[in-house]
Amino acid sequence: MTRKKVKLAYIYNDSARRATYKKRKKGLMKKVSELSTLCGVDACAIVYSPYDAQPEVWPSPSGVQRVLDRFRTVPQMDQLKKMVNQDGFLRQRITKTCDQLKRQRKDNREKEVTQAMFQCLGGGVSFGQPAHDGLE
Amino acid sequence: MTRKKVKLAYIYNDSARRATYKKRKKGLMKKVSELSTLCGVDACAIVYSPYDAQPEVWPSPSGVQRVLDRFRTVPQMDQLKKMVNQDGFLRQRITKTCDQLKRQRKDNREKEVTQAMFQCLGGGVSFGQPAHDGLE
DNA sequence: GCAACTATATATAATGG
DNA sequence: TCCATTATATATAGTTG
C-alpha cells in the first residue's frame, strides 16, 4: 500500500512476507485497541504465525479469554449460510475462490511438516499489548 | 484521523461514536483479512457492540472457534515447554498441530463462504487467496 | 440515521544502512 | 535480520444531501 500497490495475495517471498507480517500485525493490534477505546466496545484479535511462538493477542490473554467465553455461547452460522445461499453472485464468487483454495491446499501440504516443527522449536512468550487490559 | 486528528479516547457523543464504530469496524475486518491472506496466517477478530445483535467476527464463526480452541491450549504449552523431555514435547506438539490442520481443512468451506460475503457485501476488495489453510 | 464525498491522518511497501 | 526513512496507498473525521 505504498511505494507500490500490493496485490492482495499470499506473498511467496519469505523475507518479504515476514516483513509485511510484522508491520501489519502491529498495525492491526493498534486498530483493535483504537476501536475498543474510541467506541467502548469489547473486542479482541488473535494471530498465529510461525514467527511468534505464542499467538499474538489483543488486549491481553485474560481479556481475550473473556471475549472468547462470550463468543462460545453465540450460534450464528446458520444465519450466515442462509444469507449466502440466497445470492447467486456470491455463489459464483465462492466457486472461483474454491479453485484458489485447492491450489493453496496443495502448497500447504508440502509445508506442514516443516511448519509443525518450526512451531515446536520456536522461542519465548510474546504478547501484543501486555499492559493494557483493553476495552472501554 | 482525518479532517482532524482525533483524540484517542471514548467518544461521548452517541451518534459520532456510532458512526466511527461502523467505519472502523469495517476497516478492522479488512485488515484482519488482508493480514491472513498476505501472510498465510491464522487470525481472527471479534467485536461486541450495542449496535450489532451478534458479535462481528472474522473470518467465520467456526473459523473463530478454531482459533479459540487453539488459544485455550496455550497455557498448557507454556508448562510443557519448561519440561525437560524435548523429544516428547516435540512429538506431542506435532501431533496436536497436525490435528488442528485437519480441522482447518475441513473448515475451509465455511471460511471461504464468510470471506466471500465480506468481499461482496462489504465492498470492492478483491482477494487473490481468500480461504487459506493457515497454520504456517 | 445513512451514503457519498473530500481533505487529511495513518499505514505501509520499498529502500538504504 | 532489524531499524529508519520516505513516498504512496489507505483509512477515516467531518461534512453534505
Side-chain angles (χ1 to χ4, degrees):
Chain A
M1 286 78 173
T2 162
R3 292 300 181 81
K4 195 186 161 193
K5 181 179 168 183
V6 104
K7 180 178 68 170
L8 227 53
Y10 182 75
I11 299 167
Y12 283 95
N13 181 297
D14 289 340
S15 58
R17 186 172 67 257
R18 179 179 184 141
T20 285
Y21 172 76
K22 278 204 61 176
K23 289 180 181 179
R24 282 175 173 264
K25 185 192 68 187
K26 180 183 169 187
L28 177 66
M29 294 305 176
K30 186 177 178 189
K31 288 292 185 189
V32 186
S33 70
E34 288 179 350
L35 179 65
S36 181
T37 298
L38 290 167
C39 305
V41 299
D42 210 354
C44 80
I46 306 175
V47 183
Y48 282 88
S49 82
Y51 315 117
D52 306 298
Q54 300 295 307
E56 291 284 327
V57 303
W58 194 95
S60 67
S62 60
V64 170
Q65 202 69 61
R66 185 186 58 239
V67 177
L68 304 201
D69 290 339
R70 205 167 156 185
F71 177 77
R72 294 219 168 233
T73 66
V74 183
Q76 58 180 171
M77 199 55 209
D78 294 339
Q79 292 180 16
L80 290 172
K81 278 182 172 172
K82 193 178 299 176
M83 289 175 65
V84 170
N85 287 333
Q86 290 170 346
D87 194 310
F89 172 61
L90 281 174
R91 214 172 313 183
Q92 183 178 26
R93 187 86 186 223
I94 290 166
T95 301
K96 184 181 171 189
T97 298
C98 200
D99 293 334
Q100 296 172 326
L101 175 62
K102 285 177 184 170
R103 269 179 273 130
Q104 190 55 49
R105 277 178 175 158
K106 188 189 173 204
D107 183 57
N108 277 339
R109 212 164 285 132
E110 293 164 359
K111 293 179 188 170
E112 53 188 76
V113 172
T114 308
Q115 288 167 355
M117 291 188 65
F118 186 86
Q119 283 200 335
C120 294
L121 296 169
V125 188
S126 74
F127 288 102
Q129 307 251 316
H132 196 303
D133 207 27
L135 117 98
E136 272 105 304
Chain B
M1 287 87 166
T2 166
R3 293 302 181 82
K4 193 187 163 195
K5 182 179 167 185
V6 103
K7 181 178 68 167
L8 223 57
Y10 182 74
I11 300 167
Y12 284 96
N13 181 299
D14 288 341
S15 57
R17 187 173 66 255
R18 177 175 186 141
T20 285
Y21 173 77
K22 278 204 62 176
K23 288 181 180 178
R24 279 173 173 263
K25 185 192 67 189
K26 181 184 171 187
L28 176 67
M29 294 306 176
K30 187 179 178 190
K31 288 291 184 189
V32 186
S33 70
E34 287 179 351
L35 178 65
S36 180
T37 299
L38 290 167
C39 304
V41 298
D42 209 356
C44 78
I46 306 174
V47 183
Y48 283 89
S49 81
Y51 316 117
D52 305 298
Q54 301 293 311
E56 292 284 325
V57 303
W58 193 95
S60 67
S62 59
V64 170
Q65 199 74 265
R66 183 188 67 235
V67 176
L68 304 202
D69 288 340
R70 203 169 161 184
F71 179 74
R72 287 181 182 260
T73 70
V74 168
Q76 178 192 352
M77 180 170 161
D78 273 338
Q79 294 189 341
L80 288 171
K81 275 186 79 168
K82 290 174 184 170
M83 294 180 169
V84 224
N85 193 337
Q86 279 296 325
D87 284 340
F89 169 66
L90 280 173
R91 212 165 311 176
Q92 184 176 12
R93 192 61 197 152
I94 289 170
T95 301
K96 188 178 292 180
T97 300
C98 284
D99 289 339
Q100 291 171 336
L101 180 62
K102 285 179 185 173
R103 264 181 286 132
Q104 285 174 10
R105 284 177 171 160
K106 181 184 171 190
D107 200 46
N108 268 336
R109 271 213 175 257
E110 292 170 357
K111 186 175 180 180
E112 79 198 21
V113 162
T114 302
Q115 286 194 340
M117 285 184 57
F118 178 71
Q119 293 162 22
C120 298
L121 300 176
V125 186
S126 178
F127 291 92
Q129 185 206 36
H132 193 279
D133 252 342
L135 204 247
E136 313 220 350

